[in-house]
């Protein structure tokens, strides 16, 4: 699935985008924003692969937001009524530049370009983007030891630091499986490369021991998936 965020200050324009995107089964709309402040906030706290972004927006413009996101997720497709910014869009490495009124076939071409670019960068996992007050922390996946939860938040453990991310463990487990994370409990996922040993316990349970000595229970309900993941991709 490609997670898309729609950014346009005109509700009818966002409605048309939703309608056109419904024809693409691999596109999941994870949010909408009507201005740059909302868009920046959503990108900071929501996993997003693709930004469908207008140029003229309240508070700032789409090009400036794209410059701030340069070399980080998400990919950007501009959707605008103003043709004069097309050249500038190349400077921020936009996937495409679409003019309104938006045509379904032209959008399909742009989405295929985005898919190809995502596949090309599939071996370079994007960092987790975690909002910290007014700042955004970008946490490299290889630096994470494990992730558990506290209420509505995921607790991302990096050494002695804990970063709070408003996301479910289930979604993070699916998102990070390809990056080397394995689920050991309903609410805990672990970086395989941080695992030092496995200590068996009774009734099929076990204890996962990390390189820093942290001990985490492995539920027998997840033992089969854990063993399969470790056989397929042993720790480095």
């Amino acid at each position: 699935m490609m997670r898309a965020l729609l950014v346009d200050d005109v509700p009818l324009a966002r409605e048309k985008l939703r309608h056109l995107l419904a024809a693409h089964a691999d596109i999941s709309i994870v949010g909408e924003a009507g201005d740059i402040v909302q868009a920046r906030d959503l990108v900071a706290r929501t996993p997003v692969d693709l930004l469908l972004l207008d140029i003229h927006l309240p508070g700032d413009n789409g090009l400036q937001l794209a410059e701030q996101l340069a070399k980080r997720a998400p990919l950007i497709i501009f959707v605008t009524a103003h043709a004069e910014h097309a050249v500038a869009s190349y400077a921020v490495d936009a996937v495409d530049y679409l003019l309104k009124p938006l045509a379904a076939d032209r959008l399909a071409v742009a989405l295929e370009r985005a898919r190809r670019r995502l596949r090309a960068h599939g071996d370079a996992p994007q960092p987790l983007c975690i909002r910290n007050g007014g700042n955004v922390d970008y946490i490299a996946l290889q630096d994470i030891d494990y992730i558990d939860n506290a209420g509505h938040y995921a607790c991302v453990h990096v050494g002695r630091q804990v970063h709070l991310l408003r996301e479910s463990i289930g979604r993070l487990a699916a998102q990070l499986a390809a990056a080397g994370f394995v689920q050991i409990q309903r609410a805990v996922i672990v970086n395989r490369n941080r695992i030092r040993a496995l200590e068996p316990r009774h009734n099929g349970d076990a204890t996962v021991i990390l390189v820093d000595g942290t001990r985490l229970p492995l539920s027998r309900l997840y033992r089969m998936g854990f063993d399969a993941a470790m056989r397929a991709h042993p720790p480095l």
Side-chain angles (χ1 to χ4, degrees):
M1 295 295 292
M2 190 157 46
R3 296 160 298 191
L5 175 64
L6 314 185
V7 185
D8 197 304
D9 60 329
V10 180
L12 284 176
R14 299 199 303 271
E15 182 180 344
K16 181 174 183 179
L17 267 175
R18 286 197 305 271
H19 174 73
L20 293 176
L21 290 170
H24 300 269
D26 64 331
I27 305 295
S28 172
I29 299 173
V30 296
E32 298 183 17
D35 57 48
I36 291 295
V37 173
Q38 290 178 344
R40 191 180 292 116
D41 178 71
L42 284 169
V43 170
R45 60 186 175 85
T46 306
V48 177
D49 301 308
L50 178 65
L51 204 60
L52 291 120
L53 179 62
D54 196 4
I55 295 282
H56 290 184
L57 292 161
D60 215 331
N61 69 59
L63 282 169
Q64 288 173 311
L65 176 62
E67 289 171 359
Q68 294 166 6
L69 297 173
K71 302 186 184 303
R72 300 188 185 274
L75 300 175
I76 294 173
I77 295 174
F78 285 108
V79 183
T80 178
H82 303 275
E84 64 269 23
H85 300 291
V87 174
S89 73
Y90 291 105
V92 294
D93 199 29
V95 172
D96 212 332
Y97 192 94
L98 308 182
L99 290 176
K100 300 175 182 178
L102 188 58
D105 57 347
R106 186 66 183 85
L107 176 61
V109 170
L111 292 175
E112 184 54 33
R113 288 176 177 170
R115 293 184 187 100
R116 288 199 299 267
R117 191 177 293 191
L118 280 175
R119 288 194 294 268
H121 292 85
D123 293 332
Q126 298 293 335
L128 281 185
C129 302
I130 300 178
R131 185 163 185 164
N132 181 11
N135 300 321
V136 178
D137 293 329
Y138 294 95
I139 309 299
L141 300 186
Q142 64 267 25
D143 293 339
I144 298 172
D145 298 315
Y146 67 100
I147 304 175
D148 58 8
N149 78 337
H152 297 294
Y153 288 89
C155 302
V156 181
H157 295 260
V158 182
R160 294 183 178 182
Q161 294 183 323
V162 179
H163 303 266
L164 297 181
L165 175 64
R166 195 171 180 85
E167 182 60 279
S168 72
I169 293 294
R171 286 189 61 178
L172 285 172
Q175 177 186 344
L176 300 179
F181 285 75
V182 58
Q183 192 160 10
I184 63 170
Q185 297 178 41
R186 183 181 61 82
V188 181
I189 59 176
V190 177
N191 183 345
R192 287 198 302 262
N193 291 324
R194 288 290 194 268
I195 297 175
R196 186 184 71 195
L198 184 68
E199 184 180 278
R201 296 166 57 197
H202 64 282
N203 296 331
D205 291 343
T207 298
V208 174
I209 305 174
L210 306 188
V211 293
D212 66 354
T214 298
R215 301 171 67 88
L216 300 169
L218 167 61
S219 167
R220 62 183 179 275
L221 296 177
Y222 292 90
R223 181 65 184 268
M224 185 178 297
F226 175 87
D227 289 343
M230 297 300 287
R231 285 195 301 268
H233 303 282
L236 297 177

